[in-house]
Amino acid sequence: MKESKWFKEAIGYQIYPRSFKDSNNDGIGDIRGIISKLDYLSYLGVNLIWIGPIYKSPMDDNGYDVSDFYQIAEEYGTLNDVEELITEAHKRDIKIIFDLILNHTSDEHPWFIESRKSKDNPYRDYYIWQEGKNGGPPTNWASFFGGSCWNFDPQTNMYYMKIFSNKMPDLNWENKKFRDEMKKMIKWWLDKGIDGFRMDAIAHLAKDTSFSDGKVDKGYIYSGEWSKFSNRDELFIYLKELKDDVFSKYDCVTIGEVGGGASTKDALRYSSYKNGSIDMVFTFDHCWENGAFMSEHKKDEEIKTNVISLKKQFAKWQKLYNKSWNPLYWLNHDHPRVISQYGDPINYFNESAKMLAQTLHFMWGTPFIYQGEEIGMTNVDFNRIDQFKDTYIFDYAKDAKKRGLSEDQIINYLRRTSRVNARTPMQWDGSIYAGFSNTKPWIDVIGNYSYINVKNQIYDQNSILNHYRKLIEFRKDSEYKKTIIYGKFKLINMKHPQIFAYLRELDKKIIVLSNFTNEKTQFTIRNYQFRKLIISSYLDSPVINRKSYTLRPFESLVIEVE
Ligand code: GLC
Ligand code: CA
């Protein structure tokens, strides 16, 4: 792998362009909006931003459905704006990575428009076409967005594969000519000066080309056999080709989204120092440790963080230390807000947001903050299904109704789990539409913007925002820097049902103790002597020099020990 270490010491920040900042008041976030907030990002201290897709797109899936990789979506701006963004970010020592969508295009991409025309079109083999079977689709494989992963196309009476929406046909990576086109495109962007990519849905590029049926699992929302198009052997050949022909020629970082199905063993195939082709992988393992995912029939009181399980999920990945590099994150644009999931935005807003931040930012890996996380943005307060603007959700809601769920049950479930929670406008200030825009935005603003907003928190030394700034500073420039970035990780008392505790060790020894519940609880530290308190999620944590700590609700202490 590359020698370069810059991404190991970086602090990442994810921007969902549609919802970050609207510069021309059409209700949609845009590139000039991002440029206008670079000073804010500098102030926060981050130095690596991942920008969601901004390519030309009919926006069926907010830009993950690309119709031209070389052009910018009109509503987001122009190529000139993008060039200015790159220059302005670099001026502030901020690196920029883009979303790279290799698994599919939009059905409005010229390749697909050609491909579907006839069986012998030169672009036919850019996509995956199969004959139907017994009057139905070619296989029983399911789509991540519900239903079959095949869509019938009457023009040639065949099915094309689409593991996401019907408007996102899957590309055929077996086709060398097509692969060359993709490599050309990736180079073109790197030559524009961007610093790497988050690689969308990367686990799925290779499919089981024997197209045999899979066994169907019991899950009622996601069903199907993901192994038919996930983490398959051929995929690693394609990735190696991308590395050899493109990535290895640039000082860039590559982070692949491998999702829920990948084991640590799979992960090393992607990103081990020894023979990986990309730098890191994003997995989802820690994202649903409160049982919310399968919770259509549950009441809010039944949703509780399984602290032991959450610890195990993190520890599993922390063990790869020495073998590969790791990204750290609580949420992205596909997940609910972490404070609503594992914290308590009503009773312990500041304490729980700071606790979550501390628990993550002292672990091993490159942290990624998701826009709004740094001010404790919460899940939505929507009370109508049509407010949840997401292609995936409209299909889900139809299906849930068919299965007999009431409108209230569906809305409650969506408020708890939907990815729309992460996609509402960034809350900049208390003015109308949260300072995101002067016009009604494409998606509703959450009502709590009047008090949960950047402006309020900038001036408050004890705010969540300023707490994030401190955590970033520890990692960037402090006596603890080396230990935080390169130290070993070890869970302490893994069986404690309420406290997430771990040790980091290099030239310093740091212990993080985080209470993930709203009850006070005790924790005993053996084998280490207290030296000093580094930071706490409460304002009044005393300097403590004892073996046994009683942590208040959502209290988190980071201490130096010896
Ligand atoms: C990834 C993206 C998600 C998108 C999907 C299809 O999972 O993060 O937002 O819908 O891929 O591109
Ligand atoms: Ca705009």
Side-chain angles (χ1 to χ4, degrees):
M1 260 341 260
K2 293 181 297 280
E3 292 291 295
S4 157
K5 284 189 311 195
W6 65 264
F7 62 81
K8 298 184 179 173
E9 304 196 354
I11 292 117
Y13 187 93
Q14 184 191 348
I15 290 178
Y16 195 68
R18 212 170 182 76
S19 305
F20 191 60
K21 173 69 189 167
D22 174 18
S23 73
N24 62 348
N25 294 312
D26 62 353
I28 299 173
D30 46 55
I31 294 157
R32 302 217 69 84
I34 301 176
I35 298 175
S36 74
K37 293 298 180 184
L38 285 172
D39 285 337
Y40 165 73
L41 296 172
S42 264
Y43 160 85
L44 179 60
V46 299
N47 50 20
L48 167 62
I49 55 181
W50 152 24
I51 300 182
I54 49 173
Y55 314 102
K56 188 172 171 203
S57 161
M59 299 288 167
D60 183 50
D61 190 19
N62 289 354
Y64 281 98
D65 47 323
V66 179
S67 56
D68 189 337
F69 291 105
Y70 296 92
Q71 279 189 59
I72 305 302
E74 230 169 90
E75 61 227 271
Y76 292 162
T78 64
L79 208 49
N80 282 339
D81 295 334
V82 172
E83 281 161 359
E84 187 177 327
L85 169 66
I86 298 170
T87 313
E88 287 300 316
H90 286 170
K91 265 192 210 160
R92 294 166 176 81
D93 281 325
I94 296 176
K95 308 245 187 200
I96 291 206
I97 63 175
F98 276 8
D99 237 290
L100 182 61
I101 300 134
L102 301 177
N103 181 71
H104 44 265
T105 64
S106 162
D107 64 344
E108 297 178 34
H109 193 290
W111 293 342
F112 191 73
I113 294 173
E114 284 301 313
S115 185
R116 77 195 319 180
K117 277 186 185 159
S118 68
K119 292 184 182 172
D120 54 9
N121 187 285
Y123 289 93
R124 188 68 170 180
D125 285 344
Y126 273 46
Y127 296 86
I128 301 170
W129 293 94
Q130 288 287 306
E131 302 282 354
K133 212 173 62 190
N134 311 324
T139 69
N140 65 357
W141 308 349
S143 149
F144 289 112
F145 285 3
S148 170
C149 82
W150 297 98
N151 196 37
F152 183 70
D153 194 43
Q155 285 182 75
T156 53
N157 286 324
M158 281 177 83
Y159 287 80
Y160 65 87
M161 191 172 179
K162 48 97 201 174
I163 65 176
F164 295 100
S165 87
N166 283 348
K167 284 186 66 61
M168 298 153 86
D170 279 51
L171 288 155
N172 177 16
W173 278 78
E174 288 206 303
N175 180 341
K176 172 82 170 63
K177 190 161 161 248
F178 152 77
R179 292 205 301 276
D180 288 342
E181 295 248 28
M182 286 312 235
K183 286 186 278 185
K184 192 176 92 192
M185 178 275 287
I186 299 170
K187 277 192 195 136
W188 190 82
W189 277 109
L190 288 168
D191 288 336
K192 285 240 168 286
I194 62 167
D195 304 289
F197 297 101
R198 176 265 189 182
M199 303 165 83
D200 184 65
I202 198 71
H204 312 302
L205 303 193
K207 332 282 183 193
D208 168 12
T209 48
S210 72
F211 298 107
S212 59
D213 276 344
K215 41 178 198 320
V216 174
D217 69 29
K218 297 279 176 300
Y220 56 100
I221 295 170
Y222 277 19
S223 67
E225 179 88 329
W226 310 125
S227 68
K228 296 290 180 188
F229 46 83
S230 304
N231 308 310
R232 300 186 68 85
D233 290 346
E234 306 76 23
L235 163 65
F236 298 95
I237 303 174
Y238 305 144
L239 291 178
K240 178 146 192 327
E241 186 178 321
L242 292 180
K243 175 193 164 186
D244 290 346
D245 296 355
V246 188
F247 299 140
S248 63
K249 307 202 165 20
Y250 296 82
D251 182 20
C252 64
V253 64
T254 48
I255 316 166
E257 182 209 24
V258 305
S263 62
T264 46
K265 219 170 121 209
D266 289 328
L268 289 175
R269 297 182 81 187
Y270 287 93
S271 60
S272 76
Y273 293 135
K274 229 164 73 201
N275 48 20
S277 294
I278 59 175
D279 295 310
M280 310 179 231
V281 294
F282 276 126
T283 62
F284 304 163
D285 282 355
H286 60 277
C287 295
W288 297 104
E289 291 302 339
N290 60 350
F293 196 63
M294 294 301 209
S295 70
E296 279 178 331
H297 295 278
K298 285 189 188 157
K299 299 201 177 65
D300 286 345
E301 309 81 75
E302 296 173 72
I303 306 292
K304 279 216 164 74
T305 308
N306 183 337
V307 183
I308 294 183
S309 188
L310 183 68
K311 289 192 262 191
K312 280 192 192 150
Q313 294 296 4
F314 274 108
K316 185 169 109 190
W317 292 96
Q318 296 283 309
K319 276 196 195 118
L320 297 191
Y321 174 82
N322 272 343
K323 297 201 177 90
S324 70
W325 196 254
N326 185 50
L328 293 167
Y329 76 104
W330 274 123
L331 79 146
N332 59 31
H333 63 291
D334 292 328
H335 289 284
R337 290 285 177 179
V338 67
I339 189 170
S340 303
Q341 243 191 333
Y342 298 143
D344 180 346
I346 307 291
N347 304 302
Y348 297 97
F349 175 61
N350 282 297
E351 295 82 357
S352 65
K354 293 178 184 178
M355 181 282 283
L356 289 163
Q358 282 177 201
T359 308
L360 193 83
H361 281 249
F362 280 92
M363 281 194 228
W364 165 68
T366 302
F368 282 84
I369 299 162
Y370 180 76
Q371 65 181 49
E373 177 191 334
E374 75 276 26
I375 53 167
M377 276 181 67
T378 65
N379 278 355
V380 298
D381 50 4
F382 295 170
N383 44 36
R384 293 189 328 268
I385 293 175
D386 66 280
Q387 288 178 289
F388 290 86
K389 293 205 171 121
D390 183 356
T391 160
Y392 166 41
I393 284 171
F394 296 141
D395 288 344
Y396 159 78
K398 255 188 260 155
D399 182 66
K401 272 187 193 154
K402 257 193 250 153
R403 285 185 284 108
L405 264 79
S406 70
E407 183 120 345
D408 280 352
Q409 273 174 317
I410 295 176
I411 291 169
N412 203 33
Y413 176 73
L414 290 176
R415 279 194 191 185
R416 197 185 275 154
T417 60
S418 133
R419 57 187 198 170
V420 166
N421 287 304
R423 299 180 176 187
T424 63
M426 176 73 183
Q427 295 169 192
W428 293 106
D429 60 38
S431 67
I432 189 160
Y433 308 127
F436 164 75
S437 177
N438 290 342
T439 323
K440 192 173 159 47
W442 71 276
I443 190 166
D444 291 338
V445 176
I446 303 178
N448 59 27
Y449 77 89
S450 56
Y451 57 95
I452 302 182
N453 64 57
V454 171
K455 193 170 172 201
N456 270 349
Q457 294 196 21
I458 279 189
Y459 298 109
D460 172 2
Q461 272 320 304
N462 298 320
S463 64
I464 299 168
L465 176 63
N466 278 306
H467 202 79
Y468 268 87
R469 290 180 67 218
K470 283 178 205 149
L471 296 177
I472 291 170
E473 206 44 40
F474 278 127
R475 187 176 272 267
K476 267 171 105 174
D477 185 20
S478 78
E479 53 182 315
Y480 303 108
K481 172 177 169 169
K482 259 173 72 188
T483 309
I484 299 172
I485 297 175
Y486 298 107
K488 255 196 231 144
F489 172 97
K490 200 174 98 195
L491 278 182
I492 312 175
N493 191 354
M494 154 125 96
K495 297 222 173 73
H496 197 295
Q498 284 153 292
I499 292 186
F500 192 146
Y502 62 84
L503 170 77
R504 297 297 308 285
E505 185 172 2
L506 197 65
D507 54 341
K508 304 258 182 203
K509 291 192 183 74
I510 300 170
I511 285 182
V512 177
L513 296 177
S514 294
N515 181 358
F516 267 72
T517 70
N518 60 6
E519 284 153 23
K520 68 173 193 224
T521 179
Q522 251 207 353
F523 193 89
T524 306
I525 295 181
R526 298 191 175 80
N527 309 329
Y528 301 98
Q529 291 298 320
F530 173 89
R531 275 202 65 192
K532 85 185 205 224
L533 178 69
I534 300 174
I535 192 166
S536 159
S537 69
Y538 272 60
L539 296 180
D540 61 343
S541 292
V543 176
I544 2 155
N545 184 4
R546 20 185 147 90
K547 289 257 158 227
S548 192
Y549 294 85
T550 300
L551 295 189
R552 289 166 284 179
F554 297 103
E555 187 165 23
S556 167
L557 304 174
V558 182
I559 56 182
E560 189 184 335
V561 294
E562 54 193 6

